[in-house]
Amino acid sequence: MTGLSRSSSSTDRVVVGRVGRPHGLDGTVYVWPDTDDPRRFESGARVLASGRGALEVEGTRVHLERLLVKFAEVSDRAAAERLRGADLYVEERQRRPLGPEEFWPDELEGLEVRSPTGRTVGRVRRVESSDAQSRLVIETESGLREVPFVDELVPTVDLVQGYLTLADLPGLL
């Protein structure tokens, strides 16, 4: 089955989360994770923060179904507020190995989208993830269209050749 791992990437760094607002006075912040690797925010894990540099996770807990993270380098609420909105990264080499039918969102973005006959019908603009399933946002001549990223609708993904094929389903785009 075609799968999608939920970390996006730049050329040498992979986004694994975003810092939200502070929580309390000790520098703890809400983090919106964008990763399928739960170890990214365990105690002792290291991440890079945009505009800040390396941070070490001192502790993590869940509060009201949201992730709270305390970084060793962030000691008070003022420092936490300065971190607000920062993207959190790891180096691309730290990505987990993927299975044979799994893809990173950044590998799919920009791929040509073809019909079953090989005709170009669009290009993948972005990938949107949710708990239920990921969707490809495809730019077509008639505008943006969303297609669930499942085997039945996307039977072929060829990263080497730079395209994916959609199923022959009337009204899909």
Side-chain angles (χ1 to χ4, degrees):
M1 175 172 203
T2 302
L4 184 69
S5 189
R6 292 186 54 182
S7 293
S8 59
S9 171
S10 64
T11 55
D12 61 345
R13 298 182 301 174
V14 179
V15 175
V16 294
R18 182 179 209 56
V19 177
R21 66 180 179 83
H23 178 80
L25 302 175
D26 69 349
T28 298
V29 293
Y30 284 101
V31 169
W32 306 105
D34 187 16
T35 179
D36 62 350
D37 186 347
R39 298 170 299 159
R40 293 286 180 221
F41 296 104
E42 287 181 346
S43 292
R46 296 188 63 75
V47 295
L48 302 170
S50 56
R52 174 72 186 246
L55 297 172
E56 182 177 341
V57 176
E58 190 174 282
T60 304
R61 69 183 196 274
V62 176
H63 178 259
L64 300 176
E65 298 183 19
R66 294 187 290 176
L67 188 63
L68 287 174
V69 178
K70 173 70 174 95
F71 294 106
E73 298 81 2
V74 182
S75 60
D76 58 29
R77 187 175 183 90
E81 188 61 51
R82 287 190 298 275
L83 193 58
R84 187 179 197 164
D87 285 326
L88 301 173
Y89 302 90
V90 295
E91 293 180 12
E92 187 170 12
R93 64 181 170 75
Q94 293 175 286
R95 280 181 165 173
R96 71 170 174 81
L98 293 179
E101 293 297 315
E102 289 185 299
F103 305 93
W104 298 111
D106 61 290
E107 292 179 312
L108 300 173
E109 292 168 0
L111 290 182
E112 182 178 283
V113 178
R114 297 180 183 175
S115 71
T117 62
R119 182 174 61 87
T120 299
V121 295
R123 187 161 300 278
V124 178
R125 176 175 273 178
R126 68 181 177 274
V127 179
E128 294 189 355
S129 298
S130 70
D131 291 337
Q133 67 186 192
S134 296
R135 296 173 316 283
L136 302 174
V137 178
I138 299 171
E139 189 169 3
T140 70
E141 288 181 1
S142 57
L144 295 177
R145 302 291 183 255
E146 291 187 16
V147 174
F149 188 54
V150 295
D151 286 340
E152 295 77 19
L153 301 178
V154 186
T156 306
V157 176
D158 189 329
L159 296 178
V160 174
Q161 297 295 319
Y163 74 92
L164 58 82
T165 302
L166 295 182
D168 188 13
L169 186 65
L172 187 58
L173 290 180

